[in-house]
Amino acid sequence: MRLPEPRGPITEALQSLRGVDVGLAVDQVTGAVDSHTSPLLDCDDAQLALWLLYELHYQGFDDVDPRAEWSPQVIAVRGHLERRFEAELRELTRVEVEKRLNIEEPIAERLFAMMSDDDSPRLAQYVQREITTTQLRELLVHRSVYHLKEADPHTWAVPRLRGRAKVALMEIQFDEYGAGRAGDMHSTLFAQTMTRCGLDSTYGAYVDVVPGYTLAASNAMSLFGLHRRLRGAAAGHLAAFEATSALPNRRYAAGVRRLGYGDEAARYFDEHVEADAVHEQVAVREMCGALVSDEPECEPDVLFGAATCLAIDGLAAGRLLDSWRGGRSALLRPMVELASG
Amino acid sequence: MTWRRRSPRSVTVTVCPDGPLLVRGADEVVDEAGVAHEVRRPCVALCRCGRSSLAPWCDGTHKVVTEEAAKRNW
Ligand code: FES
Ligand SMILES: [Fe+2]
Ligand SMILES: [Fe+2]
């Protein structure tokens, strides 16, 4: 994968990562961030900047020196973006978190209640009943940002947890990584779905056309996973992710079959109906339950992580549906243009 | 080189309130019709509500208490 194309002053300033030495003009990047006054959550440029800085910790870029991962300038720039991004996420979820805090009820029940009260737009229903072939392919392009590295962001949390919470997280992650079978890795299953639907499953192939709100979903997971301080949020995020998966995936699988793509293409979604019905119980009851009882100071962040997952996914669902119902592409460049190169 | 069979693993069952049973350590689950289902993950969830489309596995349907809730959530 190569460094994505710049989409504004922040990612423009990050192009110097391509240089031979790992240097980066910190002031130039932070200046570009500071002069952006509207929320970073909704900024294509800022989210791409965060995404590419995080990506140095995952698969990296062919045209960036791998030592950039730990360059003090890179970490400084990332920290500058993260401080504002985290503050925005806290503000976005503040009411929801406060509502569920200090209630005499097990954390598991509060998390499940948060999920069932969530009234995000019904994307899964649309996928099942109405989505067109082009829109489905766009959805897969959006989802590829996370699903091609599925489970990786939460794996950062493993050494940051202890005891029963760590055991529960490892049990989920082992299953995400195919339970000992490389062909069953969820990221591999997703790549197969992309191929079956006529898409390029190469890691990072479509990042240039993915809007900021989808990159933000990936960035929130990386933020939570890469900071020990935020381990509660990593756990809460995973719990919410798993617990809002089984039922929607059943609808996604139905949509994929309705469009005639068949069992191989639907397999990723079929697997998630069964797997996430297990993962949600393990994540919510066992991982978050153990974490909150062993480290009560993590409780607010467990709720924060879960609420963040729901809020960002809800935002993305709304944007996707608005685009498609309005007859527009949900990508920065429509699929037809991508196909014709 | 020799291989030994380990002593049988213990099977644990955990009840999830208003949800499935979590079963760990089993190699297969035999349903009411006597059909054996292979366990292919470290932990499996067995449906207790009788409404799963993937029986004997749970598929999350237990959360859909009413049509109304279904409409609200998805
Ligand atoms: S217990 Fe989950 S679907 Fe029946
Ligand atoms: Fe998965
Ligand atoms: Fe999962």
Side-chain angles (χ1 to χ4, degrees):
Chain A
M1 174 171 60
R2 302 182 72 78
L3 206 60
E5 295 160 20
R7 8 180 123 157
I10 309 171
T11 43
E12 194 67 64
L14 286 171
Q15 293 302 302
S16 61
L17 283 169
R18 280 205 180 98
V20 258
D21 29 78
V22 172
L24 189 66
V26 176
D27 292 349
Q28 199 191 342
V29 189
T30 56
V33 175
D34 293 342
S35 58
H36 187 91
T37 47
S38 55
L40 295 190
L41 179 60
D42 221 2
C43 170
D44 285 338
D45 189 28
Q47 293 302 331
L48 182 67
L50 257 180
W51 177 85
L52 73 86
L53 292 168
Y54 285 135
E55 213 52 41
L56 297 171
H57 299 284
Y58 295 98
Q59 302 300 319
F61 300 96
D62 299 338
D63 48 352
V64 175
D65 187 330
R67 288 173 299 176
E69 180 183 1
W70 294 110
S71 136
Q73 292 94 327
V74 168
I75 300 298
V77 165
R78 200 186 89 195
H80 192 77
L81 282 156
E82 282 177 325
R83 273 187 291 281
R84 228 172 103 186
F85 184 44
E86 184 185 338
E88 285 177 19
L89 295 177
R90 291 208 181 263
E91 186 50 36
L92 181 70
T93 56
R94 191 172 47 81
V95 174
E96 184 61 41
V97 171
E98 282 171 4
K99 190 164 105 192
R100 315 271 172 195
L101 209 54
N102 306 318
I103 298 178
E104 286 297 319
E105 229 181 56
I107 187 72
E109 306 317 320
R110 284 182 278 156
L111 287 169
F112 279 127
M114 185 194 285
M115 268 95 60
S116 71
D117 290 350
D118 181 43
D119 57 359
S120 293
R122 297 169 222 148
L123 178 63
Q125 207 169 75
Y126 181 86
V127 173
Q128 178 178 19
R129 296 175 190 169
E130 294 175 58
I131 202 166
T132 67
T133 300
T134 306
Q135 292 165 351
L136 175 69
R137 296 169 82 233
E138 291 200 350
L139 178 66
L140 297 176
V141 165
H142 276 263
R143 293 288 159 93
S144 70
V145 171
Y146 170 63
H147 291 330
L148 290 178
K149 63 171 180 224
E150 187 157 325
D152 289 346
H154 300 101
T155 300
W156 299 121
V158 173
R160 297 172 166 129
L161 298 180
R162 298 196 292 248
R164 294 176 302 150
K166 189 199 287 267
V167 170
L169 175 56
M170 275 306 298
E171 187 176 72
I172 296 166
Q173 300 304 83
F174 181 64
D175 211 19
E176 297 285 345
Y177 293 127
R181 299 174 296 268
D184 287 353
M185 286 176 71
H186 288 181
S187 54
T188 305
L189 297 182
F190 191 77
Q192 276 165 19
T193 295
M194 290 185 80
T195 311
R196 291 274 162 179
C197 294
L199 295 164
D200 181 355
S201 65
T202 311
Y203 191 87
Y206 295 106
V207 70
D208 279 325
V209 296
V210 173
Y213 59 82
T214 286
L215 298 175
S218 166
N219 291 338
M221 299 183 216
S222 299
L223 169 72
F224 296 159
L226 283 168
H227 293 266
R228 193 187 81 86
R229 168 179 73 82
L230 297 173
R231 62 196 179 284
H237 185 285
L238 180 61
F241 197 90
E242 298 290 354
T244 51
S245 175
L247 294 171
N249 272 290
R250 199 167 139 198
R251 294 187 185 273
Y252 293 151
V256 167
R257 290 195 168 89
R258 175 176 55 78
L259 291 171
Y261 281 117
D263 292 346
E264 278 298 307
R267 188 171 159 215
Y268 172 88
F269 304 104
D270 291 340
E271 159 64 9
H272 280 81
V273 179
E274 188 183 311
D276 289 347
V278 181
H279 298 172
E280 67 176 347
Q281 300 297 339
V282 178
V284 172
R285 297 185 187 283
E286 304 189 345
M287 178 179 63
C288 291
L291 179 61
V292 166
S293 93
D294 296 348
E295 301 186 74
E297 67 278 14
C298 286
E299 183 180 320
D301 273 1
V302 168
L303 294 167
F304 165 54
T308 296
C309 177
L310 299 181
I312 298 188
D313 284 357
L315 172 80
R319 294 295 167 82
L320 291 170
L321 290 173
D322 280 353
S323 303
W324 295 334
R325 290 198 169 120
R328 297 184 308 275
S329 165
L331 297 174
L332 300 181
R333 286 198 303 275
M335 287 308 306
V336 259
E337 281 178 40
L338 296 178
S340 58
Chain B
M1 224 181 285
T2 55
W3 284 266
R4 280 185 299 135
R5 182 192 282 273
R6 282 181 307 168
S7 55
R9 286 179 296 176
S10 60
V11 175
T12 66
V13 178
T14 311
V15 180
C16 300
D18 303 319
L21 296 175
L22 296 182
V23 177
R24 296 182 168 96
D27 291 321
E28 54 182 35
V29 169
V30 182
D31 66 21
E32 286 143 45
V35 180
H37 301 263
E38 189 195 350
V39 168
R40 283 174 64 86
R41 42 183 99 254
C43 175
V44 289
L46 300 189
C47 175
R48 283 201 300 157
C49 74
R51 281 179 297 181
S52 173
S53 62
L54 291 180
W57 318 124
C58 163
D59 70 351
T61 302
H62 59 266
K63 285 190 279 188
V64 185
V65 189
T66 60
E67 252 326 277
E68 197 45 52
K71 281 193 194 124
R72 197 180 68 231
N73 292 333
W74 331 109

